[in-house]
């Protein structure tokens, strides 16, 4: 056992070294007690649209954008106009703390368009009929609506952004108690126009197509009842198999001459244990990954073999 642990540790250290510490950073990002609020990264708190204006609030600054027909103008929280240098269609913010923002405008068409590039993240605004709109995913022009979330407040980057996805996916369970939304419908039910959340997660144009959690995938796809049935099968198999393994080991210990546990039983016990460990490893990985057709058939075959061996295990070491 110690040899396997050391072998796994060596593999991890080698891969982490090859990736310049990326694996270790990924593990640290899975710390559920680590908050993003104290970090130096820019965090978008809110974006509001009202009439011909838009307001962006972050953990560093507040910016109000207004266009009343004579071009886009920028204002700070106290209402003072922010000086901007315009070079053709490019806007350069001159005052701190806005100097990291670059703007691009196009007011030559029927629509007045403004894109702000903020530390590698883009957000586009469009003025239509005197109303400010935002450009969402797939180029859709939309308003900004409140998005329901649950948990992971300030920890959206948990497990490489899974905290954000789960926080928006969990509220969807309220309408998935019995039959769910249907398999592979996550792309359509997820709030893709969650502008503020997407900016903190990565980019507005990013399409979230999977929950990155097998159990959420099942519950949303076919219902919570379906998930509970699956969990009950897994729990029965694990408990039953562990019981059989413990019984077999105890009988082996009680044997006076060592002949009670035959080689055939030992071989079956090793196979049963190996399959159990593989099934449990897959179930644990399901907390952070989706079910994929490239891997899931192997899991279900192993689970079927494991259940068969567990049923046979009752006769493999009879009471004497």
């Amino acid at each position: 056992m110690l040899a396997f642990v050391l072998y796994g540790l060596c593999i991890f250290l080698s891969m982490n070294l090859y990736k310049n510490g990326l694996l270790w950073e990924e593990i640290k990002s899975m710390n559920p007690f680590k908050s993003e609020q104290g970090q130096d990264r820019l965090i978008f708190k809110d974006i509001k649209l009202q009439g011909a204006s838009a307001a962006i609030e972050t953990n560093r600054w507040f910016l109000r954008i207004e266009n009343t027909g004579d071009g886009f103008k920028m204002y700070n929280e106290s209402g003072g106009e922010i000086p901007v240098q315009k070079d053709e269609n490019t806007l350069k913010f001159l005052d701190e703390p806005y100097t990291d923002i670059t703007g691009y405008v196009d007011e030559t068409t029927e629509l007045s368009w403004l894109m702000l590039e903020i530390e590698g993240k883009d957000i586009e605004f469009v003025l239509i009929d005197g109303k400010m709109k935002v450009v969402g995913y797939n180029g859709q022009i939309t308003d900004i609506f409140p998005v329901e979330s649950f948990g992971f407040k300030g920890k959206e980057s948990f497990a490489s952004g899974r905290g954000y996805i789960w926080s928006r996916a969990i509220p969807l369970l309220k309408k998935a108690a019995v039959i769910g939304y249907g398999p592979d419908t996550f792309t359509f039910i997820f709030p893709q126009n969650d502008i503020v959340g997407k900016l903190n997660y990565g980019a507005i144009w990013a399409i979230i197509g999977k929950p990155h959690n097998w159990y959420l995938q099942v519950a949303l796809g076919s219902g919570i009842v379906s998930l509970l049935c699956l969990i009950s099968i897994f729990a029965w198999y694990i408990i039953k198999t562990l019981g059989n393994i413990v019984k077999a080991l105890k009988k082996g210990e009680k044997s006076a001459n060592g002949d009670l546990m035959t080689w055939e039983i030992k071989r079956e016990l090793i196979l049963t244990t190996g399959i159990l460990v593989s099934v449990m490893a897959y179930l644990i990985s399901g907390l952070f990954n989706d079910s994929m057709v490239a891997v899931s058939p192997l899991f279900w075959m192993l689970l079927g073999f494991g259940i068969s061996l567990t049923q046979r295990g009752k006769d493999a070491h009879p009471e004497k």
Side-chain angles (χ1 to χ4, degrees):
M1 179 61 71
L2 181 59
F4 281 109
V5 173
L6 292 175
Y7 181 68
L9 184 61
C10 288
I11 292 178
F12 172 79
L13 292 175
S14 300
M15 293 181 65
N16 186 63
L17 183 63
Y18 177 74
K19 291 292 185 178
N20 296 321
L22 180 62
L23 293 181
W24 178 242
E25 290 299 322
E26 287 291 322
I27 292 176
K28 289 197 296 183
S29 73
M30 295 173 63
N31 181 2
F33 303 104
K34 183 180 179 181
S35 175
E36 299 177 351
Q37 301 298 332
Q39 299 180 15
D40 191 39
R41 65 185 290 262
L42 181 70
I43 298 175
F44 290 85
K45 292 184 175 181
D46 196 13
I47 299 177
K48 294 180 180 178
L49 304 178
Q50 184 176 6
S53 67
I56 305 174
E57 182 183 359
T58 75
N59 61 331
R60 296 182 188 171
W61 43 258
F62 175 91
L63 174 65
R64 183 165 62 88
I65 306 164
E66 192 173 292
N67 190 328
T68 56
D70 55 349
F72 289 99
K73 294 185 178 180
M74 315 296 168
Y75 301 90
N76 57 29
E77 192 169 9
S78 60
E81 186 172 352
I82 301 171
V84 176
Q85 177 182 331
K86 185 174 182 181
D87 182 14
E88 294 185 351
N89 293 331
T90 303
L91 302 179
K92 183 178 180 181
F93 289 71
L94 302 177
D95 284 359
E96 293 287 351
Y98 307 100
T99 53
D100 290 333
I101 304 174
T102 302
Y104 302 92
V105 295
D106 184 359
E107 299 174 296
T108 59
T109 61
E110 296 180 359
L111 305 179
S112 294
W113 172 84
L114 167 69
M115 184 180 79
L116 295 180
E117 186 180 275
I118 308 171
E119 296 192 7
K121 298 179 180 181
D122 303 336
I123 178 168
E124 300 175 64
F125 296 97
V126 177
L127 187 69
I128 303 178
D129 299 327
K131 300 281 187 179
M132 192 74 77
K133 305 288 184 180
V134 68
V135 180
Y137 89 109
N138 278 352
Q140 296 179 355
I141 298 176
T142 180
D143 288 310
I144 294 180
F145 303 99
V147 175
E148 189 175 1
S149 63
F150 179 86
F152 297 96
K153 184 69 174 178
K155 304 178 180 66
E156 285 84 357
S157 65
F158 170 74
S160 300
R162 286 171 173 81
Y164 164 71
I165 298 175
W166 298 343
S167 69
R168 270 58 173 181
I170 290 174
L172 300 174
L173 293 173
K174 293 187 294 186
K175 296 183 180 180
V178 180
I179 59 174
Y181 296 90
D184 293 327
T185 57
F186 189 79
T187 302
F188 307 101
I189 64 175
F190 188 86
Q192 303 289 356
N193 273 328
D194 177 18
I195 304 299
V196 177
K198 285 280 193 73
L199 282 171
N200 288 321
Y201 168 75
I204 293 175
W205 48 262
I207 298 178
I208 311 299
K210 298 289 184 181
H212 294 282
N213 181 295
W214 182 33
Y215 306 100
L216 268 177
Q217 185 182 25
V218 172
L220 292 171
S222 53
I224 297 176
V225 173
S226 173
L227 175 63
L228 293 176
C229 290
L230 271 180
I231 291 176
S232 64
I233 293 173
F234 300 148
W236 172 84
Y237 164 69
I238 292 172
I239 294 172
K240 193 74 173 177
T241 303
L242 285 174
N244 287 349
I245 292 173
V246 171
K247 286 180 183 179
L249 292 176
K250 284 183 176 180
K251 286 183 178 181
E253 291 175 357
K254 292 179 181 178
S255 174
N257 53 20
D259 295 329
L260 182 62
M261 186 180 292
T262 64
W263 166 243
E264 183 179 349
I265 295 178
K266 287 181 180 179
R267 183 178 60 184
E268 194 163 298
L269 180 61
I270 294 172
L271 183 60
T272 300
T273 304
I275 292 177
L276 175 64
V277 171
S278 300
V279 168
M280 293 179 66
Y282 186 90
L283 295 178
I284 294 172
S285 69
L287 294 170
F288 300 95
N289 295 289
D290 308 292
S291 175
M292 295 184 296
V293 68
V295 180
S296 58
L298 298 176
F299 165 75
W300 290 111
M301 285 191 291
L302 284 175
L303 180 63
F305 294 149
I307 292 175
S308 176
L309 290 172
T310 296
Q311 291 296 91
R312 290 173 53 186
K314 293 185 294 186
D315 301 324
H317 37 76
E319 297 287 343
K320 287 190 177 181

